[in-house]
Amino acid sequence: MVRKFLLFFILLAIFSQCNDSEVEELDPNTFAEIEENYGIHVMYEYSERFFPYDWLQPPISAYGHQIDYFEVGRMEPIINDFLEQYSYAFLQVNLHKIHLLKRLYFYDRENHGGGYSKTDIYLIVHAQDYDYLLGKLHHLFSRMLYRNYGPNFFPTKEWSAINDSEFKYGATEAIDLSTEERRTKGLLEQASVYSIESDFNVFVNWIFTKPEKLQEICEKYDKIREKYNLVIQFYDQMNSGVEF
């Protein structure tokens, strides 16, 4: 019995030291340069203050889990790569905070895609690689921009006109298309078939994470190239400062 208790306290001490060292290794100034250069606050100490008040109320009932501290440090270059694509003035108007979480819940269900408000991004960080997290930041920001600027600036009619006349977003037959069939119809990925917004979001992700591959596809598929040009037009109308 004595040996069991001794082993328990040894393991507890080791675990505590590991946790303490993890916290100590987290530089409190990790995102100071980002805040200075872009005016964007990166939040990683989880609390209910992450969310707007109405999100905390039923039925949304938003809540999250604290991001692992060892994940925080590797986010600095990823967030910097994301932000440097846009002009300072554009970021000041459109993005105020980036919230980092390990898990995120809305409507009592776990959300695996991340979230956004009118000016904030909620990024789930849990062992994903660099390119995935970079693409996710651009994806979430594009969703925010689509909701905020889409009614005035997004070329919905022109975009819809590129699609085949019989094509319908969300239709079962569209979801079951092969890669070749999708791209011939102007759709980059399976996620593109669900809605115009999803179609647009996929383009944005590719533009910032796989630009060379996207250019190859644009040269082969006319409809992909036409939609790509509309994405550029949308960002130019918003004065985003993005150099395509």
Side-chain angles (χ1 to χ4, degrees):
M1 180 64 73
V2 174
R3 289 182 178 179
K4 287 183 178 180
F5 275 111
L6 181 59
L7 179 60
F8 170 79
F9 284 116
I10 291 173
L11 291 174
L12 181 62
I14 293 173
F15 179 77
S16 299
Q17 288 177 0
C18 289
N19 280 350
D20 289 343
S21 63
E22 184 181 72
V23 174
E24 288 172 3
E25 290 175 1
L26 181 61
D27 184 353
N29 296 315
T30 298
F31 301 109
E33 189 171 339
I34 285 177
E35 293 187 9
E36 180 180 351
N37 291 342
Y38 302 103
I40 306 299
H41 298 286
V42 182
M43 315 298 291
Y44 56 86
E45 294 285 2
Y46 175 74
S47 78
E48 288 188 345
R49 289 177 294 178
F50 269 30
F51 306 109
Y53 175 78
D54 57 319
W55 286 22
L56 298 172
Q57 311 309 310
I60 301 177
S61 304
Y63 69 98
H65 288 178
Q66 171 66 45
I67 183 176
D68 293 328
Y69 281 117
F70 68 84
E71 295 276 23
V72 174
R74 74 186 183 98
M75 287 305 303
E76 191 276 335
I78 299 174
I79 294 174
N80 193 70
D81 281 358
F82 159 64
L83 294 174
E84 69 181 6
Q85 298 294 328
Y86 307 91
S87 71
Y88 178 86
F90 186 71
L91 290 171
Q92 286 295 291
V93 172
N94 293 287
L95 184 60
H96 296 169
K97 296 177 182 177
I98 298 174
H99 303 270
L100 305 178
L101 308 98
K102 184 174 183 177
R103 290 189 174 87
L104 179 63
Y105 297 82
F106 297 125
Y107 300 97
D108 291 326
R109 293 183 178 182
E110 185 169 4
N111 180 299
H112 297 285
Y116 63 94
S117 65
K118 189 173 182 179
T119 58
D120 293 5
I121 286 174
Y122 297 82
L123 181 67
I124 299 166
V125 183
H126 184 49
Q128 303 98 330
D129 65 27
Y130 192 106
D131 287 343
Y132 175 89
L133 291 167
L134 177 60
K136 199 65 185 178
L137 283 166
H138 285 293
H139 178 96
L140 291 169
F141 195 33
S142 74
R143 293 190 66 188
M144 181 195 299
L145 296 175
Y146 183 89
R147 295 297 176 88
N148 292 345
Y149 291 93
N152 293 324
F153 295 127
F154 191 80
T156 303
K157 291 183 179 180
E158 294 90 336
W159 192 282
S160 299
I162 295 171
N163 295 327
D164 293 343
S165 58
E166 75 277 6
F167 173 78
K168 292 183 179 180
Y169 285 106
T172 303
E173 57 269 24
I175 295 172
D176 293 335
L177 292 173
S178 68
T179 298
E180 178 64 24
E181 290 173 324
R182 281 199 305 270
R183 291 180 179 172
T184 299
K185 293 179 180 294
L187 305 161
L188 277 170
E189 297 180 3
Q190 181 172 320
S192 305
V193 309
Y194 295 114
S195 66
I196 287 182
E197 181 182 352
S198 294
D199 198 359
F200 161 69
N201 296 148
V202 170
F203 267 89
V204 172
N205 194 319
W206 278 64
I207 284 170
F208 290 110
T209 62
K210 294 180 276 190
E212 294 85 5
K213 180 63 176 178
L214 179 56
Q215 287 301 322
E216 291 177 9
I217 294 173
C218 284
E219 292 175 7
K220 184 176 180 180
Y221 302 95
D222 293 340
K223 292 181 182 293
I224 296 288
R225 183 177 64 255
E226 290 171 13
K227 286 185 176 179
Y228 171 79
N229 290 334
L230 290 181
V231 174
I232 295 175
Q233 174 185 313
F234 180 53
Y235 275 77
D236 285 345
Q237 286 183 304
M238 292 186 293
N239 296 315
S240 66
V242 176
E243 297 182 5
F244 293 96

